[in-house]
Amino acid sequence: MPRQYEEDEARRPILQPDTDTDEPTGTGSGRSLTRHGRPSDDDELAERLTGCGASACCNPSSFLHRFQALILMCLVGFGSYFCYDNPGALQDTFKSDLNLTTTQFVMLYSIYSWPNVILCFIGGFLMDRVFGIRLGTIIYMFILLIGQLIFAMGATINLFWLMIVGRFMFGIGAESLAVAQNSYAVLWFKGKELNMVFGLQLSFARVGSTVNFLVMVPIYKYVKSLGYQGHMCTGVVLLLATLTCVMSMICALILGWMDRRAARILKRNDSAPGGEVAKLSDVRTFQVSFWMVTVICVAYYVAIFPFIALGKVFFMRKFDFSSEDANTVNSIVYIIAAVASPLFGLIVDRTGRNVLWVFLSVLVTIVAHGMLAFSYLNPYIGMITMGLAYSMLASSLWPLVALIVPEYQLGTAYGICQSVQNLGLAVISMISGMIVDKGGYFMLEMFFIGWLIVSLLATIVIWMYDASNDGILNMSPAARSLYANKTLPRMSGEPGSSSDMTDSQQERERRAKDPEAIRNRYVNRVLDGNQSDTEPLAE
C-alpha cells in the first residue's frame, strides 16, 4: 500500500536537501505523527546510498552534485557557440579564400536561422511530448555535430552550396539544443537560483564565442604555415573547430546519465503534472507578457548578433584596427558576458524586479550603439557597455518565461522564443548585409538602434500588463514569497479556503483545470520553493 505523506514532506522540492527538524508536523485528523516516529524520504535515501553514492559529489540531492550537472549543462552549449561564430572570426579570410561577397557571407548566418523559424518550435514541442529532455538533447547535439562536419567539408572542397547545407543542419541542432539547455536548467534549479543559473549558462556559452574569436586567427595562421592554402586551409581550420562539438556531445551523454540517475534515486516525477501534456493549442493560453518577451528576443538580439558578425570589418574601417585587434574588440561583448552574466544573475536573484532590469539593459544598449555610431571614442568603451547590458538582459529576461508559462509547456514556450528569434535573425542578417553593401556601417547602426527602440516599447508593455495583473514579474523576492503564501491556499483548493466555502464542487473542479489556475500553481511552485514536483498542478 502506498505510504501516506505528510503535507510538509510532500511539498519539499525534490532537488533540495531536507532541512526540516524533528518537530511535530502539526495537529489534525491523522497528522499527529512526528519526524522521529518514522524515517522521512531523505532518511530512506541516505540508507540506500552508500560509499561514494552517499557523498556530496554523488548524492543527487546535494548542491555540489547539482553544480556538477550545471557545469555539464553549460559545456553542452560550448561547442555550438564556438562554431557558430567561426565565420565571424575569419570574415576577411572567408571572403578572400572562398571568393564570397558580403551578402554571401551573411547568408552563412541567415541560413542558420531560417530552419529554426519552424523547427525550433517543433523541437521544443517534441522534447515536451515525445523525446523527453535527455534523448532530445542527445539527438539535437548529434544533428549539430553532423552539420558542422558538412560545413567544414564544404569549405575544404570549396563548394558553397555544401557549406550552406552544413550550416542549415547545424542551425537545426543548435537552436533546439538551446531549448533543451533551458529546460534542463528549470528542471534542476528552481526558485532563487534560476536567474544565476541562466546567467552562468550564458557565461559559458559566451566563453565559447570568446575563445573562438581569440584562437581562430592564430589557428588559421598555424595551419597555413603547414602548407595549406586558400579554401583548403579554411576547411582544415573548421574541421579542428569541430572537436569542440565532439566535447559537447560527450557532456550531453554524461548529463543524460546523471539526470536519469537523479530521477531514479529521487523518485522524481518526470511526467506531466496532473496528467497534463503539451499540445500545440496551448499557445492560445499564453499571456500577452509572454508574447512581448518573444518580441524582445527578436528586437534586442538582432542588434547584437548581426552586429558582431559584421563588426570585424567595421572596426578595421572606422578605427583603422588590424585584423587581430578588430577580432579582440569585437569579442569584448562575449568576454564581458562570460564574467558578468552569473554576477548579474546573482543580483537579480537578490533584488528581483526582472522587468526593471530588462528595461535598463535595453536602454544602456541603445547608448552603447549610439557611442559607436556617432563618436570616435575608443570602441572598447562602447563594446564594454554593450557587454554589460547584454549580460544584464540575458540574466533577467529568460527566467521570465519560467514565471509566465507552466512547467509542462516550457519546452514549447522556449521553442517559440527561439523560433521567433531565429526568424528575426534570418531576415535581419540578410538585410544587414545589403545595408552594408549599399549604405555603409553608419546606416547599419541606425537600423540596429531602431530595433532596440522596439525592444524598449515591448518592455514597457510587459511592465504595464504585469502591473495591471498580479505584478509578480517585477516583484522583489520577499514580495514574491508573500504572494506565493497568500495565493497557495486559494489556488490549491484546500478545505477552509474562501473558494471552498463559496463555490460548488463542480465550479472548483472547473477552475482547478483552468490554464490560468494551473499557471498560478506553477508560479507558486517556482517562487515558494516549498512544493514538490510530484504535486499535481491540475486536479
Side-chain angles (χ1 to χ4, degrees):
M1 180 177 179
R3 207 189 86 188
Q4 298 297 317
Y5 291 88
E6 297 178 13
E7 182 179 5
D8 63 330
E9 182 180 354
R11 290 181 177 175
R12 186 179 308 121
I14 61 174
L15 292 178
Q16 294 184 12
D18 183 11
T19 56
D20 294 342
T21 59
D22 292 342
E23 296 177 354
T25 58
T27 60
S29 59
R31 293 188 178 181
S32 59
L33 294 175
T34 62
R35 285 274 175 195
H36 31 290
R38 57 166 174 75
S40 69
D41 270 356
D42 288 340
D43 295 330
E44 295 173 2
L45 175 64
E47 293 173 1
R48 287 193 296 268
L49 295 177
T50 58
C52 179
S55 63
C57 64
C58 298
N59 190 333
S61 63
S62 70
F63 175 79
L64 180 59
H65 186 81
R66 291 187 296 131
F67 183 77
Q68 293 171 347
L70 175 60
I71 296 300
L72 289 173
M73 293 178 206
C74 296
L75 290 176
V76 163
F78 181 91
S80 169
Y81 281 91
F82 182 92
C83 294
Y84 171 78
D85 272 321
N86 284 165
L90 299 171
Q91 180 181 356
D92 50 342
T93 56
F94 257 70
K95 295 171 71 173
S96 60
D97 290 350
L98 302 172
N99 298 317
L100 303 180
T101 65
T102 302
T103 302
Q104 286 178 312
F105 174 81
V106 171
M107 192 179 297
L108 295 175
Y109 282 94
S110 62
I111 199 64
Y112 168 97
S113 301
W114 274 118
N116 293 296
V117 174
I118 301 296
L119 295 179
C120 193
F121 165 64
I122 296 177
F125 175 77
L126 289 175
M127 191 170 59
D128 279 341
R129 189 72 178 266
V130 180
F131 298 143
I133 297 178
R134 294 187 288 270
L135 181 58
T137 302
I138 294 170
I139 290 174
Y140 299 144
M141 188 68 234
F142 180 75
I143 295 172
L144 180 152
L145 176 59
I146 296 300
Q148 176 65 16
L149 283 172
I150 294 174
F151 177 61
M153 290 304 299
T156 303
I157 60 180
N158 198 18
L159 287 178
F160 182 71
W161 67 266
L162 188 60
M163 296 176 66
I164 291 295
V165 171
R167 289 289 281 188
F168 184 89
M169 288 189 62
F170 181 85
I172 293 174
E175 291 302 303
S176 296
L177 182 68
V179 175
Q181 281 184 283
N182 292 336
S183 298
Y184 257 132
V186 176
L187 179 64
W188 280 72
F189 297 90
K190 295 177 181 176
K192 295 180 179 179
E193 297 172 324
L194 194 56
N195 294 290
M196 182 273 293
V197 168
F198 273 100
L200 194 60
Q201 277 192 333
L202 173 69
S203 174
F204 266 70
R206 293 317 170 197
V207 166
S209 297
T210 302
V211 173
N212 162 72
F213 276 104
L214 294 179
V215 305
M216 287 302 285
V217 171
I219 291 176
Y220 179 87
K221 290 182 177 179
Y222 173 76
V223 172
K224 193 172 184 178
S225 69
L226 297 178
Y228 294 96
Q229 298 293 328
H231 60 83
M232 181 65 70
C233 182
T234 302
V236 172
V237 172
L238 292 177
L239 283 172
L240 292 175
T242 307
L243 294 176
T244 60
C245 296
V246 175
M247 179 272 296
S248 293
M249 182 66 172
I250 295 173
C251 291
L253 293 171
I254 297 174
L255 180 60
W257 173 80
M258 288 180 62
D259 187 68
R260 183 175 182 178
R261 176 177 178 272
R264 174 177 54 83
I265 292 176
L266 298 173
K267 300 186 183 303
R268 191 176 69 205
N269 182 15
D270 286 339
S271 61
E276 293 288 340
V277 294
K279 301 184 292 292
L280 291 176
S281 58
D282 289 341
V283 297
R284 294 179 300 178
T285 67
F286 291 170
Q287 297 184 1
V288 172
S289 51
F290 169 77
W291 296 112
M292 289 299 102
V293 168
T294 64
V295 171
I296 297 173
C297 287
V298 176
Y300 184 85
Y301 284 105
V302 298
I304 302 294
F305 296 143
F307 174 76
I308 293 176
L310 297 170
K312 179 178 180 180
V313 176
F314 167 71
F315 293 115
M316 292 172 67
R317 290 182 182 177
K318 181 170 182 177
F319 299 97
D320 198 24
F321 280 9
S322 66
S323 178
E324 290 81 0
D325 291 340
N327 259 346
T328 302
V329 69
N330 200 33
S331 65
I332 283 292
V333 170
Y334 294 155
I335 295 174
I336 295 297
V339 177
S341 294
L343 298 179
F344 277 118
L346 288 172
I347 293 173
V348 177
D349 281 335
R350 295 284 185 178
T351 63
R353 307 191 184 283
N354 292 55
V355 182
L356 174 61
W357 286 108
V358 172
F359 180 84
L360 292 175
S361 303
V362 178
L363 202 61
V364 172
T365 307
I366 293 175
V367 173
H369 270 287
M371 285 191 288
L372 293 172
F374 298 109
S375 74
Y376 281 86
L377 288 173
N378 191 317
Y380 280 93
I381 299 175
M383 294 300 285
I384 289 173
T385 304
M386 189 184 301
L388 292 173
Y390 170 73
S391 304
M392 189 191 308
L393 180 124
S395 300
S396 53
L397 177 68
W398 291 101
L400 285 177
V401 179
L403 298 177
I404 298 171
V405 179
E407 185 172 7
Y408 72 94
Q409 297 172 337
L410 277 179
T412 304
Y414 280 121
I416 291 174
C417 289
Q418 298 286 143
S419 295
V420 176
Q421 183 186 74
N422 278 284
L423 173 61
L425 288 174
V427 175
I428 300 306
S429 294
M430 295 179 66
I431 296 175
S432 298
M434 290 186 287
I435 290 175
V436 170
D437 283 337
K438 297 181 179 180
Y441 281 95
F442 178 79
M443 294 303 299
L444 182 66
E445 283 285 17
M446 296 298 97
F447 183 64
F448 289 151
I449 290 174
W451 280 107
L452 289 170
I453 292 174
V454 172
S455 179
L456 195 67
L457 294 175
T459 307
I460 294 173
V461 172
I462 294 177
W463 203 331
M464 295 175 63
Y465 181 83
D466 183 58
S468 64
N469 290 277
D470 50 27
I472 200 169
L473 302 182
N474 211 32
M475 286 181 180
S476 65
R480 286 174 177 171
S481 178
L482 182 62
Y483 172 86
N485 292 333
K486 283 184 178 180
T487 58
L488 178 59
R490 175 169 58 86
M491 287 295 107
S492 60
E494 293 176 352
S497 67
S498 60
S499 62
D500 188 57
M501 303 170 106
T502 59
D503 296 337
S504 65
Q505 182 65 25
Q506 288 119 346
E507 178 65 12
R508 288 202 307 274
E509 290 178 357
R510 184 191 67 79
R511 293 173 61 183
K513 294 179 181 179
D514 183 75
E516 182 69 16
I518 293 174
R519 186 192 77 87
N520 287 335
R521 286 193 186 90
Y522 172 63
V523 169
N524 289 332
R525 175 179 297 173
V526 173
L527 298 180
D528 190 25
N530 293 320
Q531 299 187 61
S532 171
D533 277 358
T534 59
E535 182 181 354
L537 295 176
E539 299 173 354

